[in-house]
Structure formats: structure tokens, C-alpha cells
Amino acid sequence: MQAIPYGSWASGAHLSTTREQHDVSVSAPTTVAASVQKLVSENAVIVVGRRGCCMSHVVTRLLLGHGVNPTVFDVDEDDEAAVVVELRKMMTIVGDESVIDNWPQFPVVFVGGKLFGGLEKVMATHISGELVPVLKEAGALWL
């Protein structure tokens, strides 16, 4: 992986994977929100977090350690409100009202197209040994 100079990132959302870096130039916040929904539906594991967030990095590294190559969606401060609104809409559709009250707190992890949780949920399931079966069931792990 190559380092990218701090000032070279495009404004808007930044989508990255561990093997490649992709800049997604976004002209409107609604486009950013739609991008999140599309990415969640198209990827086995996606981590949504604030750009430069160390906790997003921790979750990503943990998943990489298990052999999962998660898609990472870094949200700029300017686009954060639109992404939060879209994430809340996605949760309303699922109907989990208990999660909506204190949510979203970044990073947010989706597994198999569904909200898995944040840092605490990922770490708790990792420690209890439940994370690998969940990732296998979602098709993120083959072995």
C-alpha cells in the first residue's frame, strides 16, 4: 500500500480498499448518502467512518487480521450530516428502533448488507469468538 500525501485527497467522500485507493468526487451530500447505501448493498463488509478516525482504522485492521478485505468509506466533515441521515433511514427500514436512539456513532460496520454495529460490537464479537462465523455467513470469509 502506498502512502497518499495529506493534501492530495479530493473533497467529498473518500472510498478506499486496502489494496487500492479510490477517490470519489461528490458534488452534493445526497450523492454521498446514496453512495453509502449502494456500497452497503454491494459489499460483504463495509466500514463507514470519519476521515482519519483512529477507531475506524482499528476496526479495519482487525477485519484485515481475520482475512477480510473490507470496503472503507471515509466521510468528510462536510458530508457527515447527510450520511448520518441516510444511515438513520436505513435503520428505520430495518425497524431496529433501539439502535437508532444512540446511533450512528462512527465507525459503523455493515456485514452482509445489514448493520452489524460499531467498534464495541465488533470487538465484543471478536473476543467472544462469534465474529468469524458471522463473517463466514456473510460470504466475507471463505475458510
Side-chain angles (χ1 to χ4, degrees):
M1 185 181 335
Q2 294 180 339
I4 298 176
Y6 179 75
S8 69
W9 291 356
S11 63
H14 178 74
L15 167 67
S16 65
T17 63
T18 57
R19 290 185 173 79
E20 304 176 14
Q21 296 291 330
H22 302 281
D23 284 329
V24 180
S25 295
V26 180
S27 58
T30 55
T31 306
V32 173
S35 296
V36 172
Q37 189 170 21
K38 183 177 180 189
L39 288 171
V40 167
S41 67
E42 293 177 349
N43 293 282
V45 179
I46 180 169
V47 177
V48 180
R50 288 184 184 98
R51 182 177 302 231
C53 173
C54 63
M55 294 300 111
S56 295
H57 180 73
V58 167
V59 168
T60 302
R61 297 302 299 174
L62 175 67
L63 292 168
L64 286 168
H66 282 295
V68 175
N69 188 19
T71 300
V72 177
F73 189 84
D74 291 326
V75 181
D76 283 332
E77 190 176 327
D78 296 341
D79 299 322
E80 189 173 324
V83 172
V84 168
V85 167
E86 185 61 29
L87 292 171
R88 284 183 181 263
K89 283 182 196 175
M90 291 168 66
M91 289 316 314
T92 303
I93 292 168
V94 173
D96 191 352
E97 297 294 327
S98 64
V99 177
I100 294 175
D101 293 336
N102 296 322
W103 194 79
Q105 295 177 354
F106 293 115
V108 178
V109 179
F110 290 87
V111 176
K114 298 175 185 159
L115 173 69
F116 183 72
L119 175 67
E120 290 181 16
K121 172 78 180 233
V122 173
M123 295 304 285
T125 55
H126 167 65
I127 291 168
S128 69
E130 299 170 14
L131 183 59
V132 170
V134 169
L135 295 171
K136 285 181 181 177
E137 184 178 321
L141 286 177
W142 297 100
L143 302 174

